[in-house]
Amino acid sequence: MDVAQLKRQLFEYTTLLFHEGFLDEQFTQLQQLQDENNPDFVVEVVSLFFDDSERLLNELAKALDQQNTDFKKVDAHVHQLKGSSSSIGAQRVQRVCITFRNYCQDKNVEGCLKCLQQVKHEYSLVKNKLETLFTLEKQILAAGGSAPM
Amino acid sequence: MSKQVAGAASLPSRSVGSGKAEMGDGTGVSSTTAPAKKKLSVLIVDDDLMIRTIHTILVSRVGGEVESQVAENGKVAVDLFRSGKSFDVVLMDWEMPVMNGIEATKELRNMGVSSMIVGVTSHSMDTEKDTFMAAGLDDCYEKPLSIKILKDILQKMKIDA
């Protein structure tokens, strides 16, 4: 595939991610911050998001597995996850976090467990999409194209 | 409670360089009369590496002569000031281990630090913001900051100066 085709594919894929609400304008902002001095900025920040999220999802699973749920602790983790996801514009993850926190406030274990599944699902979706996006960008660079910023 | 510092030399002046300190346009400064232009210094206090990374880049991209340093919690920030460092602007997270943003802001104000301290938090309710503001903040924003908000903050600082 030539550079033009790849670029077109990247453009369509990115548009779809925004259209389907996986990403919001915060992600665009991050892309705009990337320049020749920091060519890997977006990938770096997104990797930190992956690390943060995976740690928090593990902590959440552990906390909700306890006999007596410490809702304050659960809420603190969800709060962090909400912050991380909004920092990269992972909108759908962020939305589930809002519902999740409401269940924490109501001390509703069932609701929390349901949200944990949802947030895990949304996280793996967006992770997958972002990785595809980065792969496309790499292919463009490898094909001799410039970074699409 | 007085913010006056007793004769300490560490009182960081809000005045930025002299005269010419416009953000945004990086056009050269006439070098003949202006004394060495002081860089605007920003301290980014956040336990989240992701936010520190984003905000560091944001600060570097705001235009003008701005430099930044990071601290991973309030205690580190307070210790930096104690060691004699000073910053024009402190971007302060709320929830952090060891010492949170409220404690750190109070401590800095007690020490007589008059830098502009801006709260940056994911708490979005007004009542929550009020709690943070009461610790001695100059302003409070939701995180992550945008380049526009950061420019506004730095702009405001110059007007205050």
Side-chain angles (χ1 to χ4, degrees):
Chain A
M1 219 184 301
D2 65 9
V3 176
Q5 261 178 306
L6 282 167
K7 278 196 166 176
R8 195 187 152 82
Q9 203 182 332
L10 175 67
F11 176 76
E12 281 168 4
Y13 192 70
T14 314
T15 310
L16 194 68
L17 291 188
F18 280 87
H19 185 71
E20 290 178 348
F22 285 106
L23 298 174
D24 64 20
E25 66 277 9
Q26 178 58 34
F27 188 76
T28 318
Q29 283 223 24
L30 289 187
Q31 287 182 315
Q32 285 164 355
L33 288 174
Q34 182 158 297
D35 62 8
E36 60 278 9
N37 294 324
N38 306 281
D40 298 318
F41 175 64
V42 176
V43 173
E44 260 171 51
V45 171
V46 169
S47 314
L48 292 172
F49 167 70
F50 291 160
D51 294 347
D52 271 2
S53 302
E54 275 150 39
R55 179 179 54 82
L56 289 166
L57 289 172
N58 278 332
E59 293 285 335
L60 278 168
K62 254 190 261 168
L64 285 169
D65 195 35
Q66 302 293 316
Q67 201 61 259
N68 292 309
T69 312
D70 181 349
F71 285 99
K72 229 180 132 186
K73 195 171 167 187
V74 174
D75 187 60
H77 291 324
V78 181
H79 179 78
Q80 272 190 296
L81 187 57
K82 180 173 156 261
S84 292
S85 51
S86 83
S87 295
I88 69 141
Q91 194 177 204
R92 285 165 58 153
V93 174
Q94 191 195 347
R95 285 212 189 121
V96 182
C97 287
I98 295 170
T99 319
F100 203 152
R101 292 197 74 190
N102 289 335
Y103 282 124
C104 282
Q105 254 140 36
D106 298 344
K107 301 196 188 313
N108 179 337
V109 182
E110 288 302 308
C112 284
L113 285 168
K114 208 178 78 191
C115 278
L116 178 60
Q117 290 316 311
Q118 270 178 19
V119 85
K120 273 185 176 170
H121 178 65
E122 287 299 344
Y123 168 70
S124 63
L125 282 177
V126 79
K127 181 177 182 191
N128 202 284
K129 310 260 174 202
L130 285 164
E131 282 170 344
T132 307
L133 192 80
F134 295 150
T135 306
L136 270 170
E137 284 179 0
K138 266 190 214 151
Q139 285 171 347
I140 292 174
L141 285 175
S146 57
M149 299 298 86
Chain B
M1 185 182 71
S2 163
K3 278 183 190 171
Q4 213 57 38
V5 74
S10 62
L11 215 174
S13 156
R14 281 244 188 115
S15 57
V16 183
S18 53
K20 174 100 165 104
E22 280 87 349
M23 297 294 115
D25 80 81
T27 47
V29 131
S30 63
S31 53
T32 43
T33 50
K37 194 167 82 173
K38 185 180 164 290
K39 272 192 177 180
L40 190 64
S41 57
V42 180
L43 179 63
I44 298 159
V45 192
D46 206 304
D47 58 321
D48 185 348
L49 178 58
M50 207 171 122
I51 292 291
R52 292 203 301 270
T53 309
I54 296 176
H55 285 171
T56 300
I57 296 287
L58 265 181
V59 168
S60 76
R61 293 292 298 276
V62 83
E65 294 285 299
V66 188
E67 60 185 7
S68 66
Q69 194 171 336
V70 294
E72 60 268 20
N73 65 57
K75 174 83 165 47
V76 177
V78 168
D79 286 347
L80 275 173
F81 275 94
R82 281 227 174 90
S83 74
K85 279 249 176 197
S86 76
F87 300 89
D88 302 300
V89 181
V90 181
L91 301 177
M92 182 73 81
D93 180 31
W94 182 336
E95 283 179 28
M96 292 178 283
V98 188
M99 184 188 272
N100 70 30
I102 291 190
E103 293 160 348
T105 305
K106 283 185 182 164
E107 184 65 25
L108 289 173
R109 292 306 188 210
N110 281 336
M111 286 158 60
V113 169
S114 66
S115 309
M116 181 186 234
I117 308 181
V118 178
V120 185
T121 171
S122 39
H123 291 282
S124 50
M125 304 231 309
D126 283 345
T127 48
E128 294 175 317
K129 275 188 181 166
D130 290 346
T131 311
F132 200 3
M133 285 297 289
L137 294 181
D138 291 284
D139 223 330
C140 190
Y141 293 92
E142 271 184 63
K143 76 161 102 161
L145 296 172
S146 66
I147 198 110
K148 185 184 174 303
I149 289 178
L150 191 60
K151 276 185 180 169
D152 286 350
I153 291 170
L154 299 181
Q155 193 67 32
K156 212 180 281 178
M157 208 206 62
K158 278 187 334 205
I159 294 164
D160 287 356

